[in-house]
């Protein structure tokens, strides 16, 4: 597995390096041809190629995150963002949207930021002895600074830039050649600087490198956005115009992607912050784009900016618990929002631009500290954990553990909880729309980016994340609100929605009111806080309806916005606080209407992610203490209990409402657990077990004293029949690992008798959630068909029969038997059998036909034999 993982990492790392080399080669050709009468590559074509390479680099960076090589990921995403913004500007130039004389103002701000960002990555690479990476970063950084100089002094030749890019090309070829040679020689020949095995293992062992890559890349993108306005204040660029929108919106898009991947890695607070950064980037880009379309002065919604600064400050307080230096960084964004609120010119005023210069400098420092501390043994002190230690001895405020924070509402999810961001975005969208638009010039009021991005885009993202976590109601609410914000925001502030009101508009809003009525009713079963939240949004929708029919009372929309904002802020604060602290909790209220048998108390049935060793250990502890659990297998989900806990086996039997003719089966993790009883089993049966397992084949064998050896003496009355028992080794590493910890287990399907098999952990929760002590969650089952059950009670006579043909076909089972029989004919027989034939074959299936002569039923047909007490119609065997 490690070899396969290293091959995958090598492939994606090589793709990323080759993409950097390809882009460098294109730019080298471009700068070598500057003095020629015509460029060898037209600007539009070069821009499109750079955007394509940026997408490839972004993909390689995403794939490498799973390989935990954070410094390479930061390089890939940094260069990807650089070439994306650069490429878009070249496309604009090729289409004459930007003139040649304006290219300096368009390109320089991005180069100023990426020059320093790449230099920092290169310096850290040198300190971490990543020489090849460091050389590429430093060379790309020198290329950027040479390009900047060329824009200001034409006497400086372009050859220096071209040579720097050629060096990057050669470094990329060297790396790709080294990885190819490593693969051909199977690791015997390794060129210096091309070995990734130790890097992956070291950084993968430390964990959290994906977070390092996210944070560093996001702060570099903040440097890009700050550079656009800082360069204008310092006079490096002469104007703010459409050419710089490419850098701002590139930063916004990349930060949106980083936000999503932060949720995927359960970094909920960081994901919220990254979303806030990107919302600002979208608004900044919109402002510059509007200046290109129209010269009128923009109006900024001051209430929105005040609320935004408050939300940033609240996040700053909670971020200080984990990282004081990050909290200090966020204070600059609090100051930025306040500066924007104090100046009607917004992003075009000197005050906010001065804060941007400070953000640029602080972002660079944070990038350096983050990347350096990721691997260095002597980390730069950041105060991380200092404030958290203050809460350890505090009896009033008790911090939650990470596993509690990440615990999903229902089952498990690959994403962290996005409810904090959703509430914040609804607040932002509501307060942004408090500013009335100008019917004659609707785009002058800067509301669209706040409403469409914050209220729309991020609500849809949060709704999708909530759905993946089993929060169906919250998911529907966020998606509905997101769609409403987008439709109403675009209609009202883009010129589509004129001063005249229409019947069609009112009908559309009434439809949304009806949808939200269902949400309001459903929140009666959730919490009181959510009920108030949904109900106040209904008031917002009513204000839209009244406005559509021209009967809106003066001040009504402002009043309901404030009410909704307060309700949303309470949920935002309570969710943020309650996921950070275990006590005291901010009350959100119990359900107004309670359903019998339904509870939000997840502690009664913990849902644990199967991919974590700690989860398997916790399930094992539950079972060792006499608990019963739902676990995944190589087929469907099953209900299990430890065989050495007869009370647990009996409870599982009764929980299942098991019919007496459908007994529980016995599972082991390997034949080593059965080896002490080997002498009690026939050599042919033992060899057949050895050849058939691990697999989705259950073998029904005669009951004997071997059952006592496995510690199942007191549980035997619930396992198998008085004559025989079904036994299996599942082909599922999670399940066998669990059995290794617990010992042999009694197994039945995780569904009440007579119902369909459970093929997802959420189905286990729905059917047996109030009866089991834990669920090991693994998503959807790999198969929807149960195991094949084979009768081996007469195997010594050469006869086997099928109780049920499941996922493994008859032909495969017969082939295994034939191979074992051929082995015995040649005299290759396992020794150690001392049990009598009578003991092995007693009470067998006397009337069952020899499968070698049984052509019916077909392979997918279930067979029932009642004369020996077995009836198989589910995964109880």
């Amino acid at each position: 597995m490690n070899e396969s993982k290293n091959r995958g990492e090598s492939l994606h790392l090589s793709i990323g390096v080759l993409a950097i080399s390809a882009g460098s080669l294109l730019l080298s050709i471009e700068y070598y041809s500057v003095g020629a009468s015509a460029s060898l590559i037209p600007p539009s074509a070069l821009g499109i190629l750079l955007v394509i390479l940026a997408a490839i680099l972004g993909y390689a960076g995403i794939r490498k995150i799973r390989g935990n090589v954070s410094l390479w990921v930061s390089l890939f995403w940094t260069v990807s963002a650089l070439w994306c913004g650069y490429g878009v500007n070249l496309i604009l130039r090729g289409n004459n949207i930007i003139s040649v004389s304006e290219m300096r103002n368009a390109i320089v701000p991005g180069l100023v930021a990426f020059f320093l960002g790449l230099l920092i990555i290169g310096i850290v690479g040198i300190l971490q002895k990543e020489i090849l990476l460091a050389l590429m970063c430093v060379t790309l950084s020198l290329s950027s600074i040479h390009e900047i100089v060329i824009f200001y002094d034409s006497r400086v030749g372009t050859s220096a830039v071209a040579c720097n890019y050629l060096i990057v090309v050669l470094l990329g070829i060297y790396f790709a050649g080294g990885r190819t040679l490593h693969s051909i020689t199977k690791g015997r020949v390794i060129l210096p600087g091309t070995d990734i095995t130790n890097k992956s293992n070291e950084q993968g062992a430390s964990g959290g490198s994906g977070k390092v890559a996210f944070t560093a890349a996001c702060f570099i993108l903040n440097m890009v956005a700050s550079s656009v306005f800082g360069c204008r204040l310092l006079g490096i660029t002469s104007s703010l115009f459409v050419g710089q929108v490419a850098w701002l919106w590139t930063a916004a898009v990349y930060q949106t992607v980083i936000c999503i991947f932060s949720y995927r890695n359960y970094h909920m607070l960081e994901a919220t912050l990254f979303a806030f950064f990107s919302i600002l980037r979208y608004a900044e880009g919109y402002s510059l784009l509007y200046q290109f379309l129209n010269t009128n002065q923009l109006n900024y919604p001051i209430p929105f900016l005040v609320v935004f600064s408050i939300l940033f400050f609240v996040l700053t307080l909670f971020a200080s618990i984990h990282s004081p230096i990050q909290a200090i960084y966020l204070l600059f964004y609090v100051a930025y929002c306040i500066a924007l609120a104090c100046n009607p010119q917004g992003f075009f005023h000197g005050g906010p631009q001065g804060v941007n210069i400070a953000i640029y400098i602080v972002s660079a420092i944070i990038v350096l500290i983050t990347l350096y501390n990721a691997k260095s043994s002597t980390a730069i002190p950041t105060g991380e954990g200092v404030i958290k230690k203050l809460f350890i001895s505090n009896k009033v405020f008790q911090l939650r553990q990470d596993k509690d924070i990440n615990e999903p509402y229902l089952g498990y999810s690959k994403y962290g909880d996005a409810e904090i961001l959703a509430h914040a975005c609804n607040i932002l969208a509501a307060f942004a729309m408090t500013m009335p638009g100008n019917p004659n010039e609707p785009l002058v009021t800067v509301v669209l980016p706040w409403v469409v991005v914050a209220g729309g885009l991020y609500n849809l993202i949060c709704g999708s994340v909530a759905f993946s976590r089993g929060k169906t109601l919250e998911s529907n609410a966020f998606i509905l609100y997101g769609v409403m914000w987008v439709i109403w925001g675009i209609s009202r502030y883009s010129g589509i929605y004129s001063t005249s009101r229409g019947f069609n508009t009112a009908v559309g809003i009434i439809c949304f009111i009806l949808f939200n009525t269902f949400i309001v009713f459903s929140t009666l079963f959730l919490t009181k806080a959510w009920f108030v939240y949904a109900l106040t949004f209904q008031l917002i929708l009513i204000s839209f309806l009244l406005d559509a029919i021209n009967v809106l009372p003066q001040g009504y929309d402002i009043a309901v916005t404030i009410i909704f904002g307060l309700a949303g802020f309470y949920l935002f604060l309570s969710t943020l606080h309650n996921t950070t602290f275990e006590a005291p909790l901010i009350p959100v209220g119990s359900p107004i209407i309670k359903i019998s048998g339904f509870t939000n108390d997840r502690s009664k049935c913990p849902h644990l992610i199967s991919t974590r060793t700690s989860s398997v250990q916790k399930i094992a502890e539950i079972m060792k203490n006499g608990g019963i659990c739902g676990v995944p297998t190589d087929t469907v989900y099953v209900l299990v209990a430890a065989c050495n806990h007869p009370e647990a086996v009996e409870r599982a039997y009764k929980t299942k409402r098991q019919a007496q003719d459908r007994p529980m089966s016995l599972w082991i993790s390997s034949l080593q657990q059965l080896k002490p009883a080997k002498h009690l089993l026939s050599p042919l049966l033992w060899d057949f077990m050895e050849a058939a397992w691990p697999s989705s084949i259950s073998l029904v064998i005669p009951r004997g004293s071997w059952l006592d050896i496995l510690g199942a003496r007191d549980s035997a009355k619930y396992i198998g029949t008085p004559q025989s028992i079904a036994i299996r080794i599942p082909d599922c590493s999670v399940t066998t690992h669990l059995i290794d910890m617990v010992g042999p287990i009694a197994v039945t399907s995780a569904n009440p008798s007579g119902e369909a098999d459970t093929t997802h952990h959420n189905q286990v929760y729905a059917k047996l959630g109030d009866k089991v002590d834990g669920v090991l969650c693994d998503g959807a089952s790999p198969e929807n068909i149960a195991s094949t059950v084979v009768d081996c009670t007469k195997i010594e006579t050469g006869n086997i029969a099928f109780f049920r043909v499941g996922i493994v076909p008859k032909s495969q089972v017969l082939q295994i038997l034939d191979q074992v029989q051929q082995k015995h004919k040649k005299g290759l027989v396992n020794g150690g059998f001392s049990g009598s034939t009578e003991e092995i074959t007693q009470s067998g299936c006397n009337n069952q036909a020899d499968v070698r002569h049984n052509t019916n039923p077909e392979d997918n047909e279930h067979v029932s034999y009642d004369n020996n007490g077995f009836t198989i119609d589910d995964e109880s065997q």
Side-chain angles (χ1 to χ4, degrees):
M1 182 179 293
N2 288 334
E3 183 180 352
S4 174
K5 178 183 176 182
N6 287 334
R7 281 200 301 268
E9 291 180 358
S10 176
L11 174 63
H12 292 105
L13 188 58
S14 299
I15 290 174
V17 173
L18 288 175
I20 292 177
S21 300
S24 299
L25 180 61
L26 292 173
L27 291 171
S28 177
I29 294 172
E30 169 69 13
Y31 276 94
Y32 267 127
S33 63
V34 167
S37 57
S39 298
L40 295 178
I41 307 176
S44 294
L46 179 59
I48 292 171
L49 290 173
L50 285 178
V51 171
I52 292 173
L53 290 172
I56 295 173
L57 268 173
Y59 172 76
I62 291 172
R63 297 293 300 182
K64 285 308 300 170
I65 285 175
R66 301 174 187 176
N68 294 317
V69 188
S70 59
L71 207 57
W72 281 102
V73 174
S74 298
L75 171 62
F76 289 164
W77 280 12
T78 301
V79 178
S80 176
L82 168 61
W83 285 348
C84 183
Y86 203 123
V88 171
N89 275 317
L90 287 174
I91 294 171
L92 295 176
R93 173 189 162 189
N95 289 276
N96 297 321
I97 298 175
I98 299 177
S99 64
V100 176
S101 61
E102 292 176 322
M103 284 300 288
R104 185 183 78 176
N105 288 333
I107 298 296
V108 167
L111 294 179
V112 168
F114 285 113
F115 149 71
L116 185 55
L118 288 167
L119 183 62
I120 291 172
I121 297 175
I123 292 172
V124 175
I126 294 173
L127 296 175
Q128 295 182 358
K129 299 180 180 179
E130 299 276 3
I131 304 303
L132 186 64
L133 177 142
L135 287 174
M136 295 185 75
C137 290
V138 172
T139 308
L140 286 169
S141 179
L142 290 175
S143 300
S144 299
I145 197 66
H146 276 109
E147 288 182 68
I148 294 172
V149 172
I150 289 172
F151 281 115
Y152 292 92
D153 191 347
S154 58
R155 294 174 298 176
V156 178
T158 58
S159 298
V161 180
C163 288
N164 284 328
Y165 280 124
L166 277 180
I167 293 173
V168 176
V169 173
L170 295 175
L171 290 172
I173 294 173
Y174 170 80
F175 181 86
R179 293 309 305 164
T180 303
L181 190 61
H182 179 275
S183 179
I184 293 173
T185 61
K186 296 183 178 180
R188 289 190 294 271
V189 178
I190 302 175
L191 296 181
T194 62
D195 185 18
I196 68 167
T197 305
N198 293 333
K199 304 171 193 175
S200 299
N201 292 340
E202 289 174 6
Q203 295 192 36
S206 63
S209 56
K211 180 179 178 179
V212 170
F214 289 143
T215 305
C218 189
F219 289 153
I220 290 175
L221 293 169
N222 281 342
M223 291 170 59
V224 175
S226 300
S227 176
V228 169
F229 298 99
C231 287
R232 173 67 188 90
L233 183 64
L234 296 176
I236 298 175
T237 56
S238 58
S239 64
L240 295 171
F241 77 120
V242 68
Q244 293 141 358
V245 175
W247 299 117
L248 294 171
W249 281 1
T250 294
V253 171
Y254 275 69
Q255 286 176 336
T256 299
V257 175
I258 291 173
C259 169
I260 295 172
F261 273 88
S262 295
Y263 279 124
R264 190 173 177 84
N265 286 271
Y266 297 98
H267 305 312
M268 294 171 285
L269 184 61
E270 287 81 358
T272 306
L273 294 174
F274 298 157
F276 278 16
F277 296 152
S278 70
I279 291 170
L280 282 171
R281 305 290 88 89
Y282 283 114
E284 292 165 347
Y286 172 87
S287 299
L288 268 61
L289 181 62
Y290 184 81
Q291 287 293 327
F292 171 75
L293 300 173
N294 201 317
T295 57
N296 292 334
Q297 184 174 339
L298 295 170
N299 297 321
Y300 293 88
I302 294 177
F304 165 85
L305 294 169
V306 173
V307 171
F308 207 1
S309 64
I310 293 173
L311 294 177
F312 255 122
F313 183 73
V314 172
L315 290 176
T316 299
L317 294 177
F318 284 89
S320 65
I321 298 174
H322 304 284
S323 176
I325 193 171
Q326 189 181 68
I328 295 173
Y329 178 78
L330 292 178
L331 287 175
F332 285 88
Y333 273 91
V334 176
Y336 185 43
C337 292
I338 294 173
L340 289 171
C342 293
N343 294 282
Q345 293 181 344
F347 304 113
F348 299 93
H349 192 272
Q353 292 174 6
V355 178
N356 267 307
I357 295 176
I359 291 176
Y360 178 90
I361 297 171
V362 178
S363 296
I365 296 172
I366 293 291
V367 171
L368 177 61
I369 294 174
T370 301
L371 293 177
Y372 178 79
N373 288 353
K375 197 176 177 182
S376 176
S377 57
T378 55
I380 299 174
T382 61
E384 186 171 351
V386 173
I387 297 180
K388 186 181 290 188
K389 291 180 180 178
L390 299 177
F391 291 97
I392 295 177
S393 57
N394 193 310
K395 296 181 180 180
V396 178
F397 291 94
Q398 301 175 16
L399 287 174
R400 286 188 181 274
Q401 300 297 323
D402 288 342
K403 62 182 180 181
D404 295 326
I405 295 172
N406 297 330
E407 184 185 343
Y409 179 76
L410 176 60
Y412 89 94
S413 171
K414 295 180 179 179
Y415 297 87
D417 199 344
E419 196 168 332
I420 298 170
L421 176 59
H423 294 316
C425 288
N426 281 319
I427 297 169
L428 293 176
F431 277 95
M433 295 187 70
T434 57
M435 188 171 185
N438 186 342
N440 298 320
E441 293 178 307
L443 295 176
V444 169
T445 304
V446 184
V447 171
L448 274 183
W450 310 121
V451 176
V452 174
V453 175
L457 173 64
Y458 277 107
N459 253 313
L460 295 177
I461 292 174
C462 294
S464 301
V465 172
F467 185 81
S468 76
R469 294 179 60 79
K471 292 188 171 184
T472 309
L473 173 60
E474 293 90 330
S475 172
N476 289 329
F478 296 149
I479 292 175
L480 175 68
Y481 297 170
V483 172
M484 187 63 213
W485 289 128
V486 171
I487 293 176
W488 186 251
I490 292 178
S491 299
R492 189 171 181 179
Y493 293 96
S494 65
I496 299 175
Y497 188 67
S498 62
T499 55
S500 61
R501 306 296 190 259
F503 173 77
N504 294 335
T505 304
V507 170
I509 297 174
I510 290 173
C511 291
F512 277 100
I513 290 175
L514 293 176
F515 289 140
N516 193 57
T517 301
F518 175 75
I519 299 293
V520 173
F521 173 76
S522 301
T523 55
L524 293 172
F525 306 93
L526 195 58
T527 64
K528 290 184 176 69
W530 252 99
F531 173 74
V532 174
Y533 182 66
L535 188 62
T536 52
F537 189 78
Q538 191 83 315
L539 299 178
I540 295 281
L541 293 175
I542 292 173
S543 73
F544 293 164
L545 176 62
L546 296 176
D547 186 47
I549 59 177
N550 266 326
V551 294
L552 179 66
Q554 185 176 4
Y556 175 82
D557 55 342
I558 302 296
V560 297
T561 297
I562 294 174
I563 295 172
F564 175 75
L566 292 174
F569 184 78
Y570 184 85
L571 266 179
F572 165 79
L573 186 61
S574 63
T575 306
L576 183 59
H577 179 275
N578 294 346
T579 54
T580 304
F581 295 97
E582 189 170 357
L585 299 178
I586 296 179
V588 293
S590 57
I592 298 175
I593 301 176
K594 295 183 179 181
I595 302 177
S596 177
F598 179 80
T599 175
N600 281 330
D601 187 2
R602 291 168 288 170
S603 62
K604 293 183 179 179
C605 180
H607 290 68
L608 305 167
I609 302 174
S610 64
T611 54
R612 295 181 179 176
T613 303
S614 59
S615 299
V616 183
Q617 289 174 343
K618 187 167 183 178
I619 291 292
E621 288 300 319
I622 292 173
M623 294 178 65
K624 288 178 182 179
N625 292 326
I628 60 174
C629 299
V631 299
T633 69
D634 48 345
T635 54
V636 296
Y637 277 78
V638 295
L639 188 62
V640 298
C643 284
N644 57 2
H645 282 276
E647 70 284 355
V649 176
E650 179 183 6
R651 184 174 153 218
Y653 186 87
K654 293 180 178 179
T655 296
K656 158 78 176 182
R657 298 199 295 271
Q658 193 87 349
Q660 292 184 357
D661 58 350
R662 294 169 185 170
M664 300 179 73
S665 60
L666 178 69
W667 285 13
I668 57 177
S669 62
S670 69
L671 279 176
Q672 290 296 319
Q673 288 185 328
L674 196 58
K675 199 165 186 178
K678 180 179 179 181
H679 64 285
L680 299 175
L681 305 174
S682 73
L684 181 62
L685 176 59
W686 183 269
D687 286 348
F688 186 51
M689 289 178 174
E690 198 170 41
W693 292 336
S695 68
S696 301
I697 302 174
S698 296
L699 302 182
V700 178
I701 64 175
R703 179 185 291 272
S705 56
W706 60 268
L707 191 60
D708 300 337
I709 296 176
L710 294 181
R713 177 193 298 271
D714 297 329
S715 304
K717 62 181 292 188
Y718 300 105
I719 302 173
T721 69
Q723 296 80 28
S724 56
I725 291 177
I727 186 170
R728 178 152 87 94
I729 299 177
D731 188 16
C732 179
S733 57
V734 173
T735 311
T736 53
H737 185 46
L738 177 65
I739 301 172
D740 279 334
M741 297 179 180
V742 177
I745 59 175
V747 180
T748 185
S749 57
N751 58 280
S753 292
E755 295 187 13
D757 291 328
T758 49
T759 56
H760 196 280
H761 57 258
N762 284 347
Q763 294 178 3
V764 180
Y765 178 88
K767 295 180 179 181
L768 303 172
D770 58 340
K771 297 180 176 67
V772 299
D773 301 301
V775 178
L776 192 59
C777 304
D778 197 43
S781 298
E783 303 291 346
N784 294 329
I785 306 175
S787 64
T788 296
V789 184
V790 182
D791 173 33
C792 297
T793 55
K794 289 187 176 183
I795 193 171
E796 284 303 305
T797 65
N799 298 337
I800 63 172
F802 290 82
F803 286 110
R804 176 182 66 207
V805 178
I807 186 64
V808 181
K810 284 183 181 179
S811 57
Q812 184 175 335
V813 178
L814 294 176
Q815 184 180 5
I816 296 172
L817 178 62
D818 287 340
Q819 291 173 352
V820 174
Q821 288 176 331
Q822 291 297 325
K823 175 182 175 182
H824 277 250
K825 287 179 181 179
K826 294 178 181 179
L828 302 174
V829 182
N830 276 313
F833 172 67
S834 61
S836 65
T837 304
E838 181 182 2
E839 181 180 359
I840 298 300
T841 60
Q842 64 177 348
S843 302
C845 305
N846 299 322
N847 296 327
Q848 293 178 7
D850 187 335
V851 296
R852 289 172 293 177
H853 307 300
N854 185 5
T855 58
N856 287 302
E858 298 297 331
D859 279 356
N860 62 347
E861 187 176 343
H862 289 195
V863 187
S864 178
Y865 297 96
D866 294 328
N867 59 319
N868 74 328
F870 270 98
T871 298
I872 310 297
D873 63 356
D874 55 23
E875 182 57 14
S876 61
Q877 300 300 329

